[in-house]
Amino acid sequence: MSLKSIYLDNNATTPIAPEVIEVMSQIMTETFGNPSSLHGAGRDAKVAMENARETCADILGAEPFEIIFCGGGTEADNICLKGVARALRHKREKIIVTPIEHSAIRQSAKELSDEGFDVQNVEVTKEGIVTPEALAELVDENTSLVSIMYANNEIGVVQDIPALVKIAHARGALFHTDAVQAFGKIPVAVDELDVDLLSISAHKIYGPKGVGLVYAKGGVKIAPLIHGGTHEKGRRPGTENVAGIVGLAKAMELAAARAAEEYKHYTQLSERFLGSLRGKIQDITLNGPELSADRITRTPSTVNLSFAGAEGEAIILSLDLEGIAVSSGSACSSGATDPSPVLLAIGQTPELAK
């Protein structure tokens, strides 16, 4: 990106913060040992990784042993959904998700359905909200896991996770939330949300790509997706990415410290941006809820708009020629010509969704 360009695609990825680069560089040059090795270089790497684990746990309100490091948000979602479902298969076989989840959840749910699990979608409102009433109709004693995204990656809608968790727990079901787009933008504390599992990705919060974490409440059983070692207490085998993990912890520190002030800043930018567009262009549709002064309804850094008569791909290319980077949907669906499943799920027409 040139100095004159405007990058507005931070939900896809963010640049790495200088502070994160600094701590990662130190690890890569000075603490290169394998954290599973018993010699000094290995022990140094192990100490760096465990210090990072404590940092991540403290920020989330968790215990260090409840943190599982992995390769990013997509892997974290796969671990939570498939790992828990398979671990509880002989007790409960029903999984509940929403149609507006990230593709990592939607495709994992499809795989579980092909394996014989009873996978059901809880419908959302035209603003993308999961109501407690809708969830209560589906959760029963055969439900092992409910997975509902905290903040949506396309339309930014924020769910009332504590209220939804109560419904799942009342029937003995576990609850997972994909917090990849929530952390650093709105408060994320597992002890307050009361979730059993949670996913975070580093590169959405000015950290490195290829690293993330799973919070798994103590006692939650997870069947590993891959095999080959006892790393991460056997829950995610494979030599840990120590530099990435340290970078993740630093990124989480920075994001948590700045979140409250940035929420106010993003709110001002969002209102100014929408107000300007609505004053100049007709037939604009905001996909997702309006911002509210009373409660957090949407991450203000996420604004999803449909322009009647203009296709998203054409808008992206035209803006790119002007040096402005935007997206028409999830980065994991880049190149897809079909309308966004998220926009269709909230009742948008295929034409306007495009």
Side-chain angles (χ1 to χ4, degrees), residues 42 95 100 120 126 134 146 181 193 195 217 221 272 301:
I95 311 295
I100 65 169
Q120 297 191 18
K126 64 180 181 179
V146 176
Q181 294 291 349
L193 295 174
V195 293
K217 184 182 291 185
K221 295 181 179 179
R272 178 181 174 185
S301 54

Side-chain angles (χ1 to χ4, degrees), residues 174-233:
L174 298 176
F175 197 102
H176 164 252
T177 190
D178 178 337
V180 166
Q181 294 291 349
F183 187 84
K185 300 172 185 176
I186 58 176
V188 177
V190 296
D191 48 352
E192 295 177 5
L193 295 174
D194 199 26
V195 293
D196 303 288
L197 300 118
L198 178 143
S199 308
I200 286 180
S201 177
H203 77 103
K204 308 295 188 180
I205 53 172
Y206 303 91
K209 297 174 180 65
V211 64
L213 67 77
V214 167
Y215 157 76
K217 184 182 291 185
V220 172
K221 295 181 179 179
I222 297 176
L225 303 187
I226 57 177
H227 300 84
T230 59
H231 313 84
E232 298 302 293
K233 294 183 169 59

Side-chain angles (χ1 to χ4, degrees), residues 36-252:
S36 295
S37 298
L38 296 178
H39 48 62
R43 293 196 302 272
D44 289 345
K46 181 78 168 179
V47 168
M49 185 175 70
E50 294 308 318
N51 286 342
R53 195 187 307 275
E54 289 186 12
T55 296
C56 296
D58 288 344
I59 292 171
L60 292 175
E63 295 295 331
F65 72 89
E66 296 174 318
I67 302 299
I68 306 169
F69 292 122
C70 62
T74 292
E75 184 183 355
D77 283 347
N78 273 259
I79 288 172
C80 292
L81 204 69
K82 292 189 284 192
V84 170
R86 291 166 180 168
L88 299 178
R89 173 160 214 158
H90 299 297
K91 296 181 179 179
R92 295 172 175 235
E93 295 193 347
K94 187 174 182 179
I95 311 295
I96 297 175
V97 298
T98 82
I100 65 169
E101 297 299 305
H102 187 275
S103 57
I105 291 294
R106 296 201 311 270
Q107 293 181 23
S108 292
K110 173 64 167 57
E111 183 176 336
L112 290 173
S113 177
D114 291 343
E115 292 178 12
F117 286 89
D118 178 13
V119 178
Q120 297 191 18
N121 273 314
V122 55
E123 295 305 315
V124 298
T125 68
K126 64 180 181 179
E127 293 183 332
I129 296 169
V130 179
T131 66
E133 295 77 15
L135 181 61
E137 288 185 6
L138 292 183
V139 181
D140 56 26
E141 285 70 19
N142 191 42
T143 305
S144 63
L145 181 67
V146 176
S147 181
I148 298 176
M149 185 181 256
Y150 195 4
N152 186 267
N153 55 311
E154 293 188 39
I155 62 176
V157 61
V158 174
Q159 306 294 345
D160 185 354
I161 295 298
L164 300 174
V165 169
K166 287 182 180 178
I167 294 169
H169 284 177
R171 300 295 176 87
L174 298 176
F175 197 102
H176 164 252
T177 190
D178 178 337
V180 166
Q181 294 291 349
F183 187 84
K185 300 172 185 176
I186 58 176
V188 177
V190 296
D191 48 352
E192 295 177 5
L193 295 174
D194 199 26
V195 293
D196 303 288
L197 300 118
L198 178 143
S199 308
I200 286 180
S201 177
H203 77 103
K204 308 295 188 180
I205 53 172
Y206 303 91
K209 297 174 180 65
V211 64
L213 67 77
V214 167
Y215 157 76
K217 184 182 291 185
V220 172
K221 295 181 179 179
I222 297 176
L225 303 187
I226 57 177
H227 300 84
T230 59
H231 313 84
E232 298 302 293
K233 294 183 169 59
R235 299 172 295 186
R236 199 277 186 181
T239 300
E240 295 92 347
N241 175 5
V242 180
I245 287 167
V246 171
L248 165 63
K250 187 63 178 180
M252 288 180 65

